Structure formats: C-alpha cells, structure tokens
Amino acid sequence: MADPRRTGPLVYSIAAHRGFADALVAGLVPRYREDGFGLARLTVLVPSSRAARTLSEAFIRHAGASGEGGLLMPRMIAVGDLDLDEKLGAALDPLGASDIPPACDPVSRWLTLDRLIGEERAAEGMTALPGRARLNLAREMARTMDRLLVEEKDIADLWTSEAVKDSLAGLATHWERSICLFSKVAVRWQFELVERGQVDAATRRNALFDRAAKRWKETPPPFPIVAAGVTSASPALARLLRVIADMPNGAVVLPDLDRDMSDEAWQELGLAGASQEAGGPVFAADDALTHPQYHLKLLLNRMGVNRAEVQAWHRRGAAAAEPARSRAISSLFLPPQASRAWATLEAADRRLAGVRLLTSATIEEEAQAIALLVRQGLEVPEKRIAVVTADRGLARRVAQHLERWNIVADDSAGRPLALTPAGRLFGLIAQIAADGPDPAGLVAAFGHPLVRGWDSTARRQWLTGLRALDRELRGPALAPGMAPLRKAADKAGVSEWWAEAEGLIAPLCNWPDTIALAEALTRLADVAEAFARTAIWEREDGRALGTLIEELRGQAQAAGTVIETADLAGTLRDSMDEVAVRPGYGGHPRVAIYGLLEARMARADLVICGGLNEGSWPQPPGADALLAPAILRALGVPGAEFRIGLAAHDLAGAMGAPEVVLSRALRDAEGPTLPSRFLLRVEALLGEDLAREHRERAIPALLPQLDRARPPAPAYERPAPDPAPDLRKVTLRVTALDRLLGDPYEFYANAILGLKQLPPLAADPFSDPALRGTLVHAILDAWHKARAEDPALAIAPFAADHFARERVHPLFRALWQPRLIAALETFERRIAAEEADEGRKVVASEIDGEMIFDGVKIKGRADRIDRLADSSLAIVDYKTGNVPTKKQVTEGLALQLGLLGLIAEAGGFAGKGVAAAPARGFEYWSFGQEKGVFGKVMKPLKLGERQSGLTPEEFLPHHAAKLSDAIARFIKGTAPFLARENPDYKGYNEYDQLMRLEEWLVRLTETEREA
C-alpha cells in the first residue's frame, strides 16, 4: 500500500545476517497480502529466474511455518542476467513492444563477427587467423560490445573522446591495433544490424528498461512493484529502479548494503560512477573495485540515491544469525585506510561467532571433509545445508562423497556440456573428423557408454571386439589412414567386427581441408546417431547438445561459415564449454550445492564456503582482450576487477548464515595453492589467538576414522622367489642371460611367470627405440636378401621405399628417416669395402639358431653373420640405441654377442645355411654419430695393449663360463631369483611395481646396498 508520508525514494537494505530471501518474504507477506487475493497483485522484480525459484521456495517455507494451507504468490519477473544468458520477463518485454526492433540472435552475431574479422584483417594485410582462433576472437569481441552497450557507450567514443585519445598515448602499439580492428568491425556490424532491422540484445534490453521506466513514471501502475535483490549497476536498469523507488506503491530492496560503514570509508571506495566535477572522469585508477560494497555504491550513484536515504529492513528470516555477524562482516571488508581501525577493536568485536575455519591438505581431503560436515548437519531435523564454491571440480567431488550415504546433491551450477556423456561422445566424433582415425580416439569413441547402449547383449559383443582391437593397437602409433587399422583388426581376429566399426567412421574420413560448418555439423550428428541412436539426444545433456547443434547449424548455414577441418573439434569444444547442463529436480530436499551466482539470495542454516583459494574464489579477473583498462576508465566503464568485488559480496552474503565454514585446501589438482585474499582478511581480523579458536578440529580428527582401519601390513621383504625345479626348466634366450644374472627376479617374472608389459595405446614413436630397431632390422634384412639377386642395389632408395610401403608415421619419418638412411649408407660403403678388400661376405641376416648347453636349450637370433676370409664367422648386432661397453661385457651384463658366437660354433645356425665354424669377429654396428657421420662400428674386444676388455681368446670362454654359472644356479640349481641382485645392471623397470621395489629398497642397510 502507498505511504502518504513518503518524501523520497523508498530503498531498503536487508543485512547479511537476516537471510535475504526469507527476510524479504517475512516482510512482503504482511505488508502486501490482501484478503481473497493473497499476494497476487504484487509484482516482484528479481535478478534472474534462479532468484525467482529461490524466492518461491522462501514463500513456500513461510506458508508452511505459519500453518497456512496455501498462498497466492506474487508475480515474479526476471530482469534477465546477462551473465546467465537470460531473457527479460514478459512484463518488461511484452509482445506489444513493436516500437523497439527485435534483438539479433547471439549465434548469428558471433558468426557474422567471425566473417567481418577475417575480412578486416585481410584488408589490412594481416596474417589470416586459424578458424578456431578467429571464432574465439569473435566471441571475445561480442562480449566487449555487450560490455559497452550495457554501459550505454557509443563505439564512436573510441575515436572522438578526448579522454580516450589521451589514454592511447601511453599504450603499447598492440593495443592500438586491437582497438582499430575492434572499431572497424563494430562499425560494420552496426551497418549489418540496420540492414537487418535488428539491434543487439543489450541495446534492446536498455530500451525496454527505459520504456518501462517512462510508462511507470508517467502512469504509475495501481498494483505494488518491488525490485528485490537486483544489484546490476547498468545505467538503464538503475534508472528503472529509481522510478520504482519513487512510485507510490514501489520499493527497492538491496542485499547487504553496509549502512554502518563510516562516511570516510564510504568515500574511500572511490568515485563509483559519480564525477567530482562536470565532465570529469566517473572512474578513477584508485577506485576500490574489489570491495564488496563498490557495486552497490555505483548502483546508488546511478540511481541518484544517497546512502543515508536507504532504510533498514527490520524483518528477519528463519535462518538468521545474530546482528553482531553483520557488524563483524562490515569490519572484515573495510577499505585499506579504514581497516586501521582493527588495531583498536576489542576481542569481542573481532570474534566471528558461528564461523569456523577448515584447512585440508588436498582438494580430495577437502571434499571429503565438506561431505562429512553435510552428513553431520543432516542429523539435526529440518536443518538446511548449502555448499557454495566456484570450483566445479570440488563440487563434483563433494557430490560423489555424499553418495556413500545415499545423499543425492546435484551441483546446481551444472557441468559444461563438453564434460557430459553426450558432449563427450560428440567431441570424440569431431576429433576423429579433425585428426583422422587415431587409435586412441577410436578406442575412446567406440568404448563410450552410449555406443550400442540400447541393447546389453549388443553392447557386450561390441566391447568384446573392441577389447581385442585395443590389445592389438597397443604399441607404436600407426600410420594415418584406414589400411593400418584394417591390418591390425585382421591380426586381432576381429575382421567382421571392424567392418561394422569402419562403416560407422567412414563418413568422418577424408574430409577436405575446409568445410562448411553447417555441413560438418550435419555429418557429425548423423554419425552420432549411428553410434548411439536416439540416446545421444536424450536426458538433459542430449537435449542441450541438440539445441546447440540446431542453433549453430541454422545460423552457420545462413552466414555461410566455413571452418578448417583441423579446427572443428576445438571449436565445438569451445562452444560446448559455454553451455552449462544443470540437473533436474530430485536431490535431497535439505542439501544444495551452489555456484556463486546460484547462491545469491539463497540461505541455509549451515553454509560451507569451499575452495577459498586465489584463482577459485575469487577467480582471476579476465582482462578485456581488446580494450586496455585505461581505455575502459576513459570511456566510463568499470574495470575487470569489478568481478572480484562481486565475489567478495557473495562471500559476505554467505557469511551471514547462522553457521559458516570457510574451507580451503593446501594443494589442488595442479599443485600448491594460495589462500584467498578474503580468507586472509578473516584470519588477519581474528588474529592468531582467535583464529586458533575458530579452527574446525572435529572433522579433521574424524576423517582418518571414516573408513575402517586396516591392520598394518607386515614389512614386505626383498622378493626372492624359489619356484619348483620343473618350473625352472625353461628355454634360455640369448637376450635373457643378462637379465638372469643382473636381476633374477625380472627373469623369473618374464620367463617363468610369462608376464609381459602391456604397451600404451598409440605410443609415442619418437621415444620407442624398439620401433626404430624393428624398422632398420627389417630394412637391412630385406636389402641383404635382395642383394643376392642384385649386388649393386643401393640401400638409400630401397630404405625410402620400405618406409613408404610400411606407412610409417609421418612425424617419425620426418625426424628419423634422414639419419637412419645416412647410417645405412655408411654401412653400405663399409660392407662393399670389406667385401672388396678383405674378402668378407654376408652369409645370413635375421637368422634364428639354437643349441643345447649343459642340457638346456639356448635360442637366439643373429642380426647378421659374415664369413671372413679365413672361413671363420663374424657376429654383427645392429644398435639403434646405446651400445654396450666393454666393461659391461666383462662383468656379464651384455652377453648376447658371445652367446650367438657359441651357437654358431656349435652349428646352431647350420639348419639355416650357416655351417659350424669358429666365431672370431664380434661387432656392434651402431646408428649413432661419430665425427659428424651417422653409422659407426664398435668391437667389444681388447685388440691392443692399451685397450681394456676381453681378448679374442678370452671372449667365448668367458661367455661359456657365465652361461654355465647361470644354468647351474638358477635353471638346474635352487638359487632364489633375488630382486635387483646386481645394482649395476641397467635393465628395465616394468617389473618394479610387481616386486614392490619402493617398499623394501628404503629398508636396505648400507651393507646390503653395497653387497
């Protein structure tokens, strides 16, 4: 009802400790309820649709608490939060508003700006941006345009304003280029809008605010209007709020305006939109943009309302705290100069009763502690708990921990579409189209839970074939294309399965370098349906994905947008990251997990503020990429730090709850963290002694007891397995003797247990020496065999053809093929010279042989065997990696060459055409570099007095003795296979986890280590 005694604008403030939504309802109901109509004649303007839902819940709680059977609630209209991409309510944007041009579709604007940016850069002779970078710049440019339009700034101000010209003088040249590009594109966009008969959404929003303000000012509505919780300080909205505050039946209710702050502290906040002189700046460089009251001061200044005119709202909500909490919050966030008053505060004024501080070691421990706090709070009947955090990863962890008690608490801030099941599958399919059928991407896409998910039997059969292919694809990355994948499927025995799978991804292969975005989306959508049928479009994430694709496809077709195929997956991921998928209803009625935006106006009995670290709460201010801070100030636009002040206000509002827990983790998923500046102020205000009193101790003490205590595991001793004699009787390979003598446990795990390391999927070919070895061995073997028919066959073109025929990965070819061929040519020259000068001849390559030694079969493969002029044999081993040293050979840690020599002398290669003969030559042919030339030969023999190592006469007897000792001890004997017996052995580490190395290695005494 109208108050005849009113002489000025009616503006209220609800203190933080009162609980905004519940306190608002507690005051609205008795003041505006009418018999027979309830609150139906009342209109409440709220910031967003989420705020309307929060307020509706508060009305329901009030009706339940007062015992009313029902309540006609007021009409709630959202003013539309641009941060949430929300539209205005119907009362502010009526169907009859034909005098205001319609708003341009935001996707259409984004794609048009993309085209304009490309054209302007080309006209300036600038390098063309890749498609994804250009689209991201267009998105950033759209945000900057909206920022200026909301503040009612004209693009022409960038080149006509004297203040802007003065600010440009001290800027780097890249700012000048970005402003020039922005100005040209913005002007062309305005012409586009005129041709379309449209305006930007922000422009229409301002016009609708002014239209409503003019209509209500000229003819005040007969029904009451209350604007509640609206803190946006845009000029048009501020004018509308002033009109509402001046109406006979109107009022504006602000959240947590600090009415007790001294005038000196209020002035210390800065200009906040109010110039000190006519035509002067409205923002200063030293404005306290990060203060929680700054945006409220800006709003009051733009409304033309003095802080002294704001009245206190004297009603309080059910979840209200003591008034001392608001006074403590006011002291907590005093500006720098005013905060000197802390020195004179008494301990009682510093204390934050009901506020606890919780510090955890890791983000996972923090999530578990928060979940336990929620579980503890639910033990109290009717107690409501809210978890507020800007860290969505922490929110997901909390929700998962709550599931152990069957507490469903969905994150109301939602998840990015790209992280949902439907978004992930669509992104994987787009990645295949962009990068080709990469094994890792294929396995991820084929194994997605939505694929063949409509039939459990079909799903099981599908996964059986996928696992077989996955096992075959383990190892070095295949060459691009379908042929290597088809070959791998044949080897895995799943040819029929692959035929079906290949049919699914065939539409994704061999796309042109550039493609129309609309056509690409159509193809991807068709493939997604082939993968998952209608499941891809079901549930909340599927519907959000379908909406995004339809909007993007329609606007891209109209705009003629063309994109590089390689940028397709990244562009779609960026678009999906902009879409938040929020859960439906059905969670626990007394538990809520909010983001900072969602938490505004919400209230609970216990509020847990999690993730209070720099970079999370507050998040780093995203500086405008196109307009420098000095330019924004000159234009009269608040800087990026303005959002830090909003985050501070969010924390101040959350701290008004009866019970508050401020939580942080010392480490997150990326490493050590820095405490939030807000949390540091809390600790500074409390001081060391009071901070200790406010520390939460019960939950950290309870966490270690949360899970059943496991009995302490006995100390794990150094493994030394002793298998039965019949299990020891294994064939000994020449490459395994080093392992048997150096690390018997590795030999045991490999040869006796038969355990082999599972290679990674699509392994990096550059870090895999086995791939290089396999390639050069195959090339040399084929070349030696081909030389029997054509002795003059050159190795360089032969090797190049082999690389092409095997479809080796292009990056591997680019980096390794030149140096490998250079080494092969060195070998070719040496072989020809030795044949001509020494009568040496290659007699076999890649030849298998075996012998019986002390009753044990010894097997091995020689890379090459040559027959020397005296009919003796030379054993050659090709090395693409490190070459064993003479010391390693002497110590029995590199015995392969000698064992092959023993097999040759025993006639073990006779069945393959190499008759038994003395073995006197032993050589490593390395692909390494020596004196600037790739390819060198090293002999592990002592061939001079000044050299070390074994003499030719000692070489084979030494190897025979080592072999005999190994057989006697391990194969026929009872010696245990001790782990890491010889610390000098440079073996592999794939069995370290199996032997639990780190558990017992640290307990070895110095004597044991030396032994």
Side-chain angles (χ1 to χ4, degrees):
M1 298 179 182
D3 186 353
R5 295 172 296 174
R6 284 179 51 180
T7 59
L10 189 58
V11 181
Y12 293 99
S13 172
I14 298 180
H17 74 277
R18 294 182 178 274
F20 186 88
D22 291 325
L24 178 69
V25 170
L28 292 179
V29 171
R31 177 164 185 168
Y32 293 106
R33 183 167 55 184
E34 301 178 29
D35 293 337
F37 292 95
L39 296 172
R41 295 183 185 272
L42 171 65
T43 297
V44 181
L45 266 62
V46 293
S48 64
S49 58
R50 299 181 195 179
R53 188 171 71 180
T54 300
L55 201 56
S56 298
E57 294 170 352
F59 276 110
I60 294 171
R61 284 195 299 272
H62 178 84
S66 59
E68 299 182 28
L71 177 67
L72 288 176
M73 291 197 299
R75 180 186 189 187
M76 285 182 273
I77 302 171
V79 299
D81 194 327
L82 287 179
D83 290 331
L84 302 177
D85 193 25
E86 290 186 334
K87 294 180 172 59
L88 291 172
L92 297 176
D93 190 1
L95 295 176
S98 57
D99 54 323
I100 301 175
C104 174
D105 183 87
V107 178
S108 174
R109 178 178 68 164
W110 173 46
L111 297 179
T112 304
L113 291 177
D114 167 70
R115 172 176 59 81
L116 296 177
I117 289 170
E119 293 174 357
E120 286 298 328
R121 288 181 63 89
E124 294 292 329
M126 303 170 69
T127 304
L129 289 173
R132 183 183 182 185
R134 193 178 61 248
L135 285 165
N136 283 339
L137 179 58
R139 185 180 284 114
E140 190 66 34
M141 193 169 287
R143 292 194 184 104
T144 303
M145 287 180 179
D146 283 341
R147 191 173 182 182
L148 296 181
L149 291 172
V150 165
E151 294 293 323
E152 300 181 339
K153 303 303 175 184
D154 196 325
I155 299 298
D157 292 341
L158 288 173
W159 60 83
T160 60
S161 170
E162 293 298 327
V164 172
K165 292 179 181 179
D166 294 340
S167 300
L168 277 172
L171 295 180
T173 55
H174 80 275
W175 283 116
E176 295 181 9
R177 290 195 300 268
S178 67
I179 292 172
C180 180
L181 176 64
F182 173 74
S183 301
K184 291 181 177 179
V185 172
V187 169
R188 289 189 60 184
W189 169 242
Q190 294 304 317
F191 281 112
E192 290 255 358
L193 286 175
V194 172
E195 293 177 0
R196 298 182 184 188
Q198 298 175 336
V199 293
D200 284 298
T203 301
R204 178 176 171 81
R205 185 172 183 266
N206 291 342
L208 288 169
F209 285 153
D210 287 339
R211 183 177 185 272
K214 180 181 179 181
R215 188 173 72 247
W216 290 348
K217 185 174 184 179
E218 294 175 350
T219 308
F223 51 82
I225 298 179
V226 175
V230 180
T231 58
S232 172
S234 67
L237 182 55
R239 290 193 294 269
L240 176 62
L241 294 179
R242 176 58 195 252
V243 169
I244 294 173
D246 286 336
M247 290 193 314
N249 288 329
V252 174
V253 185
L254 300 177
D256 190 27
L257 174 71
D258 191 349
R259 300 174 62 254
D260 297 327
M261 180 184 290
S262 66
D263 291 338
E264 292 78 8
W266 186 254
Q267 291 301 319
E268 192 180 339
L269 297 182
L271 298 178
S275 175
Q276 294 180 342
E277 57 186 19
V282 294
F283 294 102
D286 58 351
D287 274 13
L289 293 170
T290 61
H291 194 277
Q293 295 292 312
Y294 184 87
H295 70 291
L296 293 175
K297 180 177 182 180
L298 176 61
L299 175 60
L300 289 178
N301 285 341
R302 287 179 169 176
M303 288 177 63
V305 175
N306 191 287
R307 184 171 61 119
E309 296 179 273
V310 180
Q311 305 177 39
W313 188 270
H314 293 294
R315 296 280 183 168
R316 55 185 287 153
E322 294 301 318
R325 179 71 58 77
S326 287
R327 293 194 294 272
I329 294 173
S330 176
S331 299
L332 174 64
F333 288 106
L334 285 174
Q337 296 299 323
S339 61
R340 294 177 179 177
W342 288 2
T344 61
L345 286 178
E346 298 294 333
D349 296 326
R350 291 176 177 270
R351 184 172 282 106
L352 292 167
V355 177
R356 292 172 284 169
L357 307 179
L358 175 63
T359 302
S360 305
T362 65
I363 188 173
E364 182 64 25
E365 185 178 311
E366 181 185 13
Q368 196 172 34
I370 291 174
L372 194 56
L373 282 167
V374 174
R375 177 68 180 84
Q376 183 185 54
L378 288 175
E379 291 296 306
V380 180
E382 300 184 6
K383 187 173 186 177
R384 291 179 291 138
I385 302 102
V387 178
V388 183
T389 177
D391 187 342
R392 308 294 13 111
L394 176 63
R396 287 193 292 271
R397 282 181 164 93
V398 172
Q400 290 166 358
H401 279 293
L402 287 173
E403 288 179 0
R404 72 184 300 168
W405 297 296
N406 296 321
I407 299 172
V408 179
D410 293 321
D411 181 6
S412 64
R415 285 191 297 167
L417 177 57
L419 298 182
T420 63
R424 284 184 185 276
L425 178 57
F426 202 80
L428 289 169
I429 293 172
Q431 197 73 49
I432 295 172
D435 299 339
D438 172 73
L442 285 178
V443 171
F446 287 149
H448 192 280
L450 293 180
V451 178
R452 297 295 186 271
W454 61 83
D455 186 337
S456 59
T457 302
R459 170 78 178 169
R460 185 166 55 252
Q461 294 172 349
W462 176 262
L463 291 179
T464 300
L466 176 60
R467 291 182 184 119
L469 179 65
D470 181 8
R471 179 64 182 86
E472 185 61 38
L473 293 176
R474 298 279 171 166
L478 299 181
M482 301 295 287
L485 292 166
R486 203 174 295 122
K487 183 178 178 181
D490 291 341
K491 291 179 66 177
V494 289
S495 300
E496 293 184 5
W497 178 91
W498 174 252
E500 181 183 359
E502 186 175 355
L504 290 177
I505 62 172
L508 303 175
C509 299
N510 302 319
W511 283 20
D513 292 340
T514 59
I515 187 171
L517 181 56
E519 180 185 351
L521 290 172
T522 299
R523 293 189 189 183
L524 293 175
D526 291 342
V527 172
E529 287 192 7
F531 268 74
R533 293 188 181 175
T534 59
I536 187 69
W537 313 121
E538 296 172 359
R539 303 178 66 85
E540 295 90 350
D541 56 338
R543 291 189 287 273
L545 177 64
T547 301
L548 171 67
I549 292 174
E550 283 305 311
E551 289 180 355
L552 191 54
R553 178 164 51 187
Q555 297 299 338
Q557 189 167 10
T561 304
V562 175
I563 189 173
E564 290 82 354
T565 300
D567 282 338
L568 180 61
T571 299
L572 288 177
R573 190 180 308 114
D574 293 338
S575 296
M576 289 192 289
D577 283 339
E578 297 287 318
V579 179
V581 179
R582 294 177 176 85
Y585 291 98
H588 197 287
R590 292 194 285 134
V591 179
I593 301 178
Y594 297 122
L596 301 193
L597 288 174
E598 292 76 23
R600 293 173 185 171
M601 294 181 63
R603 178 49 60 95
D605 300 289
L606 168 62
V607 175
I608 305 168
C609 300
L612 279 167
N613 288 318
E614 285 293 308
S616 174
W617 195 343
Q619 295 185 341
D624 197 297
L626 297 163
L627 301 180
I631 299 296
L632 292 174
R633 282 197 302 272
L635 288 171
V637 177
E641 294 81 4
F642 187 75
R643 293 190 175 277
I644 295 180
L646 294 178
H649 192 261
D650 292 334
L651 180 61
M655 290 181 65
E659 294 181 58
V660 180
V661 177
L662 305 179
S663 172
R664 69 172 293 254
L666 299 176
R667 294 182 65 89
D668 60 13
E670 298 178 356
T673 61
L674 293 174
S676 167
R677 65 191 72 185
F678 308 142
L679 186 60
L680 290 177
R681 290 186 71 89
V682 172
E683 294 177 344
L685 175 66
L686 291 173
E688 293 185 6
D689 295 337
L690 286 178
R692 280 194 295 269
E693 292 181 16
H694 283 71
R695 290 286 174 194
E696 171 62 41
R697 292 184 174 84
I699 295 300
L702 189 57
L703 277 181
Q705 314 301 323
L706 187 60
D707 296 310
R708 182 180 300 157
R710 297 181 180 179
Y716 190 78
E717 300 299 329
R718 188 179 187 179
D722 182 11
D726 58 327
L727 297 177
R728 292 172 178 260
K729 296 176 182 178
V730 295
T731 299
L732 191 60
R733 302 195 65 85
V734 296
T735 54
L737 183 59
D738 308 346
R739 177 178 289 180
L740 178 57
L741 294 174
D743 191 345
Y745 186 87
E746 281 193 16
F747 178 88
Y748 165 78
N750 182 278
I752 296 178
L753 296 182
L755 300 177
K756 303 293 189 295
Q757 184 183 31
L758 185 66
L761 188 64
D764 181 9
F766 316 116
S767 62
D768 187 1
L771 173 60
R772 301 194 296 272
T774 301
L775 281 173
V776 299
H777 282 69
I779 292 171
L780 286 165
D781 180 42
W783 181 67
H784 288 308
K785 289 178 171 60
R787 284 185 73 231
E789 302 291 335
D790 182 9
L793 179 64
I795 197 169
F798 183 87
D801 290 343
H802 185 89
F803 275 107
R805 191 165 55 252
E806 290 295 317
R807 296 179 61 82
V808 177
H809 196 281
L811 290 178
F812 181 88
R813 288 184 63 181
L815 290 177
W816 282 101
Q817 181 173 327
R819 64 186 72 183
L820 292 178
I821 289 181
L824 290 172
E825 289 179 319
T826 301
F827 296 164
E828 179 185 29
R829 292 190 294 269
R830 186 180 182 96
I831 290 171
E834 290 177 342
E835 287 179 348
D837 300 339
E838 302 175 13
R840 179 170 173 171
K841 183 180 179 182
V842 177
V843 295
S845 64
E846 298 300 321
I847 181 173
D848 294 323
E850 61 182 49
M851 70 174 180
I852 303 299
F853 189 96
D854 289 349
V856 176
K857 181 184 287 187
I858 313 297
K859 297 178 65 176
R861 171 176 291 183
D863 293 346
R864 198 179 93 207
I865 299 180
D866 294 355
R867 192 170 297 280
L868 305 179
D870 61 357
S871 297
S872 63
L873 301 176
I875 312 296
V876 176
D877 187 17
Y878 297 121
K879 290 293 183 184
T880 56
N882 296 328
V883 177
T885 64
K886 294 179 181 180
K887 181 180 179 181
Q888 288 176 309
V889 174
T890 303
E891 294 178 352
L893 302 179
L895 302 173
Q896 180 180 354
L897 269 185
L899 294 182
L900 290 171
L902 291 175
I903 293 176
E905 288 194 345
F909 297 109
K912 302 295 179 66
V914 181
R920 294 182 181 145
F922 302 95
E923 298 170 352
Y924 293 114
W925 287 43
S926 170
F927 284 75
Q929 194 175 19
E930 185 176 50
K931 297 180 180 179
V933 178
F934 285 102
K936 58 183 178 179
V937 176
M938 303 174 66
K939 299 179 180 181
L941 299 171
K942 181 178 181 179
L943 301 176
E945 290 296 330
R946 295 185 178 181
Q947 294 185 4
S948 60
L950 300 170
T951 64
E953 294 76 16
E954 299 171 334
F955 195 76
L956 287 182
H958 170 77
H959 285 74
K962 291 290 185 181
L963 178 58
S964 179
D965 174 62
I967 291 174
R969 291 173 57 203
F970 297 105
I971 307 301
K972 292 186 174 182
T974 59
F977 291 85
L978 183 66
R980 294 292 176 93
E981 182 174 284
N982 190 335
D984 294 329
Y985 172 63
K986 307 296 183 184
Y988 302 96
N989 59 4
E990 64 253 39
Y991 298 103
D992 285 358
Q993 187 176 15
L994 183 65
M995 68 174 67
R996 296 163 69 170
L997 177 68
E998 295 184 359
E999 295 186 43
W1000 53 264
L1001 185 64
V1002 295
R1003 296 199 307 270
L1004 290 180
T1005 64
E1006 291 298 327
T1007 305
E1008 287 175 314
R1009 288 200 184 103
E1010 293 173 1

